[in-house]
Amino acid sequence: MSSRPRTRTSDASGPDTQADLGKTIQRLRKAYNLSLGELSEQSGVAKSIISQIERNETNPTLSTVMRLSRALDTTVDEVLRGEQQSLFIEHQTKSGIPMLESQDGKCKLAIVGPLNLVDSFQWYDFHAQEKGVLESSPHPQGTVEHLYVVTGKLEVTTSGETKLASAGEALRYRADVPHKIVNVGTTAAHAVMVLALKQFGTPS
Amino acid sequence: MSSRPRTRTSDASGPDTQADLGKTIQRLRKAYNLSLGELSEQSGVAKSIISQIERNETNPTLSTVMRLSRALDTTVDEVLRGEQQSLFIEHQTKSGIPMLESQDGKCKLAIVGPLNLVDSFQWYDFHAQEKGVLESSPHPQGTVEHLYVVTGKLEVTTSGETKLASAGEALRYRADVPHKIVNVGTTAAHAVMVLALKQFGTPS
DNA sequence: CCAAATCGTTCGTTATATCGAACGCTGGTT
DNA sequence: AACCAGCGTTCGATATAACGAACGATTTGG
């Protein structure tokens, strides 16, 4: 036993431990010209622990990280995020919106979301007149469609199941099978739809 | 050596444990309408632990806090600040849909989909009165926010850049930095917002 | 040269964070 | 009512983070 690389059990929820937390701590400590003993005295954390933390051999308690952060005159968040800092803005304005119409001409689908990029979803603005019906053929495998009703009342049918949603409600359903949206209200309906494409499978 | 440029009191007398960490966690959990069991499943943390954390009966491990933060779509730092910023105050609607209000009370953010965690994105219904301002602290690294204006005119500011969008237009911008949405129109504004959380990829 | 000091690491013990199961409670259903 | 499902809490066992002391390896200076 004793010192072994020890792979973290790390459930299926992804990387929980910041990989280079120890490196960051050590970098800060050395930036202040502190020895382990000194930092231990100033932070109140045993130097053995600091040593282990710097080598990522332990999974520190929140209070420990806070004490170290305070002693190093910084915040927990800054310690966690290391030095990777990037900020640029990316904007995309819409002009010349392509539009789709249903067979009965009563539904209009405006593509507002990012269609051209690698994002794993697209989204649409959906308008339906009274009794309008939109039938869709299957989308790619694993696609999930999210429908948020802004006004009116819509009914979604997929795989034999039918669900109803009024204004302010949201529906979620499989879109990799034929599905149908019907405006069952007495007025026109307005909804926003998001298509979530399956990009990455669960590692299970 | 050892001449610290910094005069730290460094006596560990400070509050090493954030007193209201539990309250913040609970507030976030309830804002997403999650039960302890659900959050446990999504975060990978035992629900008993979450219960104890919310009542400040334990001193959580860093990895635990990180897992919870990720599941709650926020950062460790934001969880730790919690009380200080209080960008939002909770508000429960009659229909059970959790709602967030901006500081000035002029903006309302309704969480539409509880689907956020599994699908790596979530979305909101956004209503802003005239001159309403919504300030958001950074979301997790790599998060991109999509804003689709249904009615009115909104202005988004991120990292010093400002972009305008009218009804029918969409904006896309980084959300892992502080950002602000302002209703600059002469009427109330309505928009739908989608947060695309980062999927694991190579950080360039 | 050889102590003395100090560095970072490692060891044994204690404290406790975490987990899973079981618990009582409440709200909806037959 | 009685039932069931789901909530939040509590409880025992286990894993492990934290601590203090001791350890070799440097460096210092006498």
Side-chain angles (χ1 to χ4, degrees):
Chain A
M1 31 185 77
S2 67
S3 65
R4 108 187 101 82
R6 87 173 296 285
T7 49
R8 191 85 198 82
T9 55
S10 82
D11 55 2
S13 64
D16 50 345
T17 49
Q18 184 75 9
D20 47 3
L21 168 71
K23 210 184 69 181
T24 306
I25 294 282
Q26 190 175 62
R27 182 174 56 82
L28 285 171
R29 177 174 66 84
K30 293 193 170 173
Y32 283 115
N33 269 333
L34 293 174
S35 68
L36 285 182
E38 286 175 306
L39 180 56
S40 170
E41 194 171 333
Q42 307 241 344
S43 64
V45 179
K47 70 173 183 178
S48 55
I49 290 300
I50 304 177
S51 172
Q52 291 181 7
I53 290 175
E54 287 187 352
R55 300 190 63 87
N56 291 317
E57 286 180 0
T58 190
N59 175 13
T61 288
L62 180 62
S63 76
T64 298
V65 178
M66 289 181 73
R67 281 184 284 177
L68 286 177
S69 301
R70 188 178 306 123
L72 293 169
D73 216 24
T74 183
T75 66
V76 173
D77 194 53
E78 194 161 337
V79 167
L80 286 183
R81 110 168 84 228
E83 70 257 40
Q84 54 158 352
Q85 196 81 329
S86 63
L87 54 138
F88 4 99
I89 183 172
E90 208 176 324
H91 67 276
Q92 174 182 352
T93 322
K94 207 78 210 108
S95 58
I97 307 173
M99 212 171 242
L100 308 173
E101 269 193 22
S102 64
Q103 291 134 339
D104 60 5
K106 289 180 180 171
C107 298
K108 275 182 284 189
L109 213 56
I111 305 175
V112 296
L115 205 49
N116 45 348
L117 39 90
V118 261
D119 274 332
S120 56
F121 67 86
Q122 317 166 347
W123 62 337
Y124 304 88
D125 195 20
F126 176 72
H127 283 274
Q129 298 174 20
E130 199 176 339
K131 298 194 187 340
V133 177
L134 179 80
E135 303 207 44
S136 294
S137 22
H139 297 280
Q141 209 16 293
T143 300
V144 179
E145 196 165 297
H146 303 251
L147 188 75
Y148 174 57
V149 182
V150 177
T151 57
K153 189 180 293 187
L154 293 175
E155 185 188 80
V156 174
T157 302
T158 171
S159 304
E161 270 192 75
T162 298
K163 294 186 212 169
L164 190 68
S166 301
E169 295 180 333
L171 285 182
R172 184 163 74 117
Y173 47 91
R174 296 186 51 155
D176 52 6
V177 293
H179 51 285
K180 183 170 64 171
I181 304 176
V182 183
N183 179 8
V184 295
T186 57
T187 66
H190 180 201
V192 177
M193 184 190 306
V194 173
L195 243 70
L197 307 176
K198 192 73 170 184
Q199 197 93 328
F200 54 101
T202 52
S204 56
Chain B
M1 53 172 61
S2 75
S3 64
R4 298 267 308 283
R6 189 164 304 280
T7 51
R8 290 247 352 99
T9 49
S10 70
D11 55 353
S13 67
D16 50 342
T17 49
Q18 189 71 14
D20 291 351
L21 170 70
K23 210 184 69 180
T24 305
I25 294 283
Q26 190 176 61
R27 180 175 58 84
L28 286 171
R29 176 174 66 83
K30 292 193 169 172
Y32 288 115
N33 251 357
L34 294 174
S35 68
L36 285 181
E38 288 175 306
L39 181 56
S40 170
E41 193 171 334
Q42 304 277 357
S43 63
V45 179
K47 70 173 182 176
S48 55
I49 290 300
I50 304 177
S51 173
Q52 291 181 7
I53 290 176
E54 287 187 352
R55 300 188 62 87
N56 292 316
E57 287 180 359
T58 189
N59 175 14
T61 288
L62 180 62
S63 77
T64 298
V65 178
M66 289 181 72
R67 281 184 286 177
L68 287 177
S69 301
R70 187 180 309 123
L72 292 170
D73 183 39
T74 185
T75 64
V76 173
D77 192 51
E78 190 165 340
V79 167
L80 289 182
R81 283 185 185 160
E83 52 192 320
Q84 299 180 0
Q85 55 178 12
S86 68
L87 277 180
F88 302 117
I89 51 179
E90 239 184 287
H91 195 273
Q92 204 81 359
T93 60
K94 50 190 179 293
S95 57
I97 300 178
M99 251 199 187
L100 306 175
E101 268 189 20
S102 66
Q103 288 163 315
D104 59 7
K106 291 180 178 171
C107 298
K108 275 183 282 189
L109 209 60
I111 302 174
V112 173
L115 36 101
N116 41 16
L117 305 169
V118 281
D119 285 332
S120 77
F121 77 87
Q122 55 192 192
W123 62 340
Y124 303 89
D125 193 20
F126 176 71
H127 283 274
Q129 298 175 20
E130 197 175 343
K131 300 197 183 346
V133 177
L134 179 80
E135 302 206 46
S136 294
S137 24
H139 297 281
Q141 276 289 340
T143 300
V144 180
E145 196 165 297
H146 299 250
L147 187 76
Y148 173 57
V149 183
V150 177
T151 57
K153 189 180 293 188
L154 293 176
E155 186 187 78
V156 174
T157 302
T158 12
S159 307
E161 279 192 61
T162 298
K163 207 63 191 173
L164 191 69
S166 300
E169 294 181 333
L171 287 181
R172 189 170 86 102
Y173 46 91
R174 299 187 53 135
D176 51 8
V177 294
H179 51 286
K180 185 170 62 171
I181 304 176
V182 185
N183 179 10
V184 294
T186 56
T187 66
H190 180 201
V192 177
M193 187 188 304
V194 173
L195 242 70
L197 306 180
K198 180 191 179 175
Q199 48 211 29
F200 304 142
T202 54
S204 54

